[in-house]
Amino acid sequence: MSDEGVNDPLPRMSREKAEKWAKHWTDSMVSIAHAHLDPKTARPTADFTNCIGSNKEEADDGRFTLSHSRAAGEPHRAQHAQAVTDIEKTLKGKGFDIQSFEVDLDTEPANVVDAKHPKDQQFVSVGSVDKDLLVFIVSTPCLLPPGVEQQKF
């Protein structure tokens, strides 16, 4: 197995900035979908995890990934296909590679688009979940906090 790229410089971003950036992305997708967030039930979630290398290595330099999600109860399920289609078109226009795209009321998960940016490596997913819930997820690549020396392997 090759170690090519294992010590390439990681993008730098603080946890706070990463969370703001991911929130901006989810909010943008919510807007494209014409979704309405109920502040009582649509609180964003931010899950930070340690980066795990392809050879299962873990660094002690503070590198992390973030998965940020929001959920919306509107639009109703009948409008999810159009919402997901609009988001898929927007992501394509921004240079994302579409990894999966499905619009169908009879499948689970119904109405889903998964995309990854080829340069920046962020991952975006939108899909129908449950009866009338539309979930928006943004995941960052491995990020290194500013001012920290990157550990080498």
Side-chain angles (χ1 to χ4, degrees):
M1 197 177 284
S2 170
D3 286 335
E4 185 177 325
V6 73
N7 288 312
D8 287 352
L10 294 172
R12 291 185 179 267
M13 192 177 292
S14 69
R15 287 179 179 237
E16 295 79 16
K17 186 173 179 180
E19 191 168 2
K20 283 181 184 178
W21 174 85
K23 183 184 180 307
H24 167 77
W25 267 99
T26 55
D27 287 347
S28 294
M29 289 187 296
V30 165
S31 177
I32 293 165
H34 303 289
H36 301 283
L37 302 173
D38 179 347
K40 295 176 186 172
T41 59
R43 292 184 191 97
T45 62
D47 296 316
F48 291 94
T49 58
N50 294 332
C51 298
I52 308 292
S54 59
N55 296 320
K56 307 289 186 232
E57 65 270 13
E58 287 189 61
D60 296 322
D61 57 10
R63 61 183 76 181
F64 65 92
T65 60
L66 167 64
S67 179
H68 184 275
S69 65
R70 306 279 311 256
E74 291 184 27
H76 295 290
R77 183 95 172 214
Q79 288 83 41
H80 286 190
Q82 186 61 54
V84 168
T85 299
D86 291 347
I87 291 169
E88 186 259 354
K89 287 179 185 173
T90 299
L91 292 171
K92 271 187 177 177
K94 294 189 176 292
F96 279 76
D97 292 331
I98 305 303
Q99 297 180 322
S100 64
F101 177 64
E102 180 75 38
V103 286
D104 185 347
L105 290 176
D106 298 324
T107 63
E108 281 300 328
N111 308 306
V112 65
V113 61
D114 294 320
K116 189 171 187 177
H117 196 278
K119 180 181 176 224
D120 300 332
Q121 298 297 303
Q122 70 260 32
F123 175 79
V124 175
S125 180
V126 179
S128 300
V129 180
D130 204 17
K131 183 180 175 188
D132 276 327
L133 203 59
L134 194 58
V135 177
F136 305 85
I137 301 169
V138 173
S139 298
T140 68
C142 189
L143 299 171
L144 190 66
V148 174
E149 185 174 335
Q150 183 173 329
Q151 182 178 342
K152 304 292 182 196
F153 291 96

